[in-house]
Amino acid sequence: PHADTGLSSSRTMSIEICSTAFEASLATATDAATAAHICAVTLLLNTTGTTAQDALDAQVTELTTGLDTAYMLLSAFLVFLMQAGFAMLCAGSVRSKNVKNILIKNVLDACVGCMAFYFFGWGVAYGVDADGKGNDFIGAGSFFLADNTTAGGGAFTDWKGFIFQWAFAAAAATITSGAMAERTQFAAYLGYSFLLTAFVYPVVVHWVWDGNGWLSAWGETNKQAVIDFAGSGVVHMTGGVAGLMGAMIVGPRTGRFGADGKPNPMPGHNAALVVLGTFILWVGWYGFNPGSQLAIAGVTNAEVTSRVAVITTLAAAAGGVTAMILHYALYGVWDLIAVCNGVLGGLVSITAGCPVIEPYAAVLAGIGGAVVVWATGKLLLKLKIDDPLEAFAVHGACGAFAVIFVGLFATEEYVLQAYGTPWGKVEYGLFLGGSGALLGNQILEVVVITLWVSVTLGGFFFAMKQAGLLRSSAEEEALGLDESKHGGSAYNMEKL
């Protein structure tokens, strides 16, 4: 080590100290070569008064930061992969004459959403004032990523946080477009996609996930703190309620309901794409839920992340099986599309509470999610609300169910491990002996998200309708939006 580090003879350490440093290095290294490298660094640092333990701590910190950053980036990439899943799911769920229309919306959810989140969304969600202080309701800094969100300002540095949160924002926008498919003007879509990702969704993010938010469990002591780990309320309810408002205001597709008010079948054109989309979304959810721990290094992070992956899988599987049994019992059909929606409903239903519930509760959440999807779908048809992808049923209703479910089944041990005591003490599920305060907070989250999204985006959709900019004409709808707006059909089959 002396030769490698260029230490002079007057500052050469004794054999005994070198041996001690090498033994300490072996404790954190996987082989002797790595230990020797750490030992050399340790000896060099000791010449300036730095202890061997300081050197080892610096090495551990560097490795931990790199590992956590890599894990968060890979999780962000998995969440972004969900856009491909949404694209396939949406394409398979609409009629063949509208495939290009729904696909370009999926692509632009990522593009428009990125611009909107870069311009305003990140600042609204996580920005602070120039003095480094935040606001309970809305962020106020870092627009265009101009400066840091931490006290003291300076250059923006949270690159991994931005890419991770942008992927979530794009998912929320995509949920909305599915509920309004096959009859919405393209200009209206661009408007609500930008508004949702620039302002409406980031405000909800600020409430729940930013340390300054009034519902946040990540800042100072807050008796109103909620548990919405990966966003059943923040992401899925926001997108689902926005979709519901859009579907109500734009009206049903022509011919969806008969003169007697009964629904006419309008099945999607490709079940294979629906299945492909479902599987891609399921895989992406392993970035969505486990990735929301935001770290993997360390015993606690590794345990929580692994448990979240298992809990997520159990809920998805239980949702699919329940949907299969339910539809066969009611209709005598092994319904493929219903099973796919059951899987997605189970995934949404576990997203809020995945780090704080037991495996049996994950199965219950998946079962409940499948039932919620079925019941909500039936209710919307009774109300003559046309949602081609059942986006509100899967995301909005199951999102609300998931948030409330946490208030009933969160365990004391897991809440303490994953969240600590942001309420001043540990709050956990009512059915497991909790005080009920957590359940009250969870219900409050459902109510305020519903009101916020309904007023903001409901107002936008109403204004667009009054201006004649929301719905495509009857002729365009009958011809198909692909032919009328996008240059032709998505399927160009040459006749032999």
Side-chain angles (χ1 to χ4, degrees):
H2 296 168
D4 291 340
T5 57
L7 296 177
S8 65
S9 58
S10 63
R11 302 182 67 184
T12 300
M13 301 186 69
S14 68
I15 296 297
E16 291 79 12
I17 295 177
C18 181
S19 175
T20 301
F22 184 72
E23 290 175 2
S25 301
L26 279 173
T28 59
T30 56
D31 54 56
T34 305
H37 174 72
I38 297 175
C39 179
V41 174
T42 300
L43 295 174
L44 177 61
L45 292 173
N46 266 298
T47 64
T48 59
T50 305
T51 66
Q53 189 60 50
D54 289 337
L56 294 174
D57 289 345
Q59 288 277 331
V60 170
T61 299
E62 185 174 337
L63 291 171
T64 298
T65 300
L67 182 59
D68 287 342
T69 299
Y71 176 70
M72 197 167 170
L73 288 174
L74 289 172
S75 297
F77 303 155
L78 279 174
V79 176
F80 183 58
L81 179 64
M82 293 174 75
Q83 291 299 117
F86 280 123
M88 295 300 97
L89 181 71
C90 290
S93 299
V94 300
R95 291 168 291 177
S96 60
K97 64 182 181 179
N98 295 308
V99 172
K100 275 188 177 179
N101 178 262
I102 197 68
L103 287 179
I104 193 173
K105 290 176 180 177
N106 275 267
V107 174
L108 288 174
D109 281 329
C111 300
V112 174
C114 182
M115 293 294 96
F117 205 64
Y118 165 63
F119 292 158
F120 306 111
W122 175 269
V124 170
Y126 293 105
V128 294
D129 298 327
D131 60 1
K133 296 181 180 179
N135 181 290
D136 288 351
F137 180 78
I138 191 171
S142 292
F143 300 112
F144 299 87
L145 305 187
D147 51 35
N148 208 346
T149 55
T150 57
F156 184 86
T157 58
D158 194 6
W159 307 112
K160 65 183 185 298
F162 177 84
I163 200 72
F164 190 73
Q165 292 299 335
W166 157 71
F168 275 64
T174 302
I175 293 167
T176 305
S177 62
M180 301 173 66
E182 300 199 279
R183 75 274 200 197
T184 305
Q185 286 194 38
F186 195 68
Y189 155 75
L190 292 174
Y192 75 69
S193 182
F194 189 91
L195 178 61
L196 180 67
T197 49
F199 180 65
V200 178
Y201 166 78
V203 167
V204 180
V205 171
H206 183 80
W207 293 349
V208 179
W209 287 343
D210 183 64
N212 296 305
W214 67 283
L215 294 175
S216 177
W218 305 112
E220 299 176 356
T221 301
N222 180 12
K223 293 187 178 299
Q224 295 174 166
V226 299
I227 294 177
D228 190 0
F229 185 71
S232 290
V234 174
V235 180
H236 295 281
M237 265 198 73
T238 298
V241 172
L244 176 64
M245 297 307 298
M248 289 172 58
I249 294 172
V250 76
R253 290 168 289 177
T254 302
R256 184 66 174 98
F257 298 98
D260 58 358
K262 293 182 179 179
N264 295 317
M266 282 190 177
H269 83 287
N270 194 321
L273 290 179
V274 173
V275 173
L276 177 61
T278 300
F279 273 118
I280 294 174
L281 286 169
W282 192 340
V283 171
W285 236 284
Y286 292 119
F288 210 95
N289 285 5
S292 291
Q293 180 67 11
L294 307 182
I296 192 67
V299 175
T300 299
N301 287 329
E303 180 181 342
V304 172
T305 301
S306 301
R307 183 173 69 243
V308 166
V310 173
I311 295 297
T312 299
T313 305
L314 288 172
V321 171
T322 301
M324 177 192 70
I325 295 172
L326 180 62
H327 279 259
Y328 187 79
L330 292 174
Y331 313 115
V333 176
W334 304 105
D335 193 325
L336 172 63
I337 305 302
V339 171
C340 290
N341 282 338
V343 169
L344 296 176
L347 287 165
V348 173
S349 297
I350 203 61
T351 296
C354 48
V356 297
I357 67 173
E358 296 279 5
Y360 79 87
V363 174
L364 293 179
I367 292 171
V371 174
V372 168
V373 170
W374 170 79
T376 305
K378 291 298 180 183
L379 176 61
L380 292 184
L381 291 178
K382 287 288 185 183
L383 298 173
K384 298 183 182 179
I385 299 173
D386 182 18
D387 182 349
L389 275 88
E390 295 192 302
F392 175 74
V394 171
H395 299 277
C398 284
F401 167 72
V403 172
I404 294 171
F405 189 86
V406 175
L408 300 173
F409 285 96
T411 68
E412 183 178 10
E413 176 189 356
Y414 290 164
V415 170
L416 183 61
Q417 183 187 45
Y419 279 84
T421 57
W423 307 271
K425 61 176 183 175
V426 181
E427 294 288 356
Y428 52 101
L430 182 65
F431 287 173
L432 301 180
S435 66
L438 178 61
L439 177 60
N441 292 352
Q442 302 296 109
I443 294 173
L444 176 63
E445 181 190 357
V446 171
V447 171
V448 296
I449 289 176
T450 301
L451 291 175
W452 168 251
V453 178
S454 297
V455 170
T456 52
L457 280 171
F460 173 81
F461 290 133
F462 181 77
M464 294 294 283
K465 182 176 182 178
Q466 294 301 109
L469 299 174
L470 184 60
R471 183 166 184 135
S472 299
S473 68
E475 293 78 13
E476 291 171 343
E477 187 178 349
L479 179 62
L481 298 180
D482 289 358
E483 292 285 353
S484 61
K485 293 295 183 181
H486 302 290
S489 172
Y491 303 101
N492 297 305
M493 305 294 187
E494 293 185 7
K495 295 183 179 180
L496 298 178

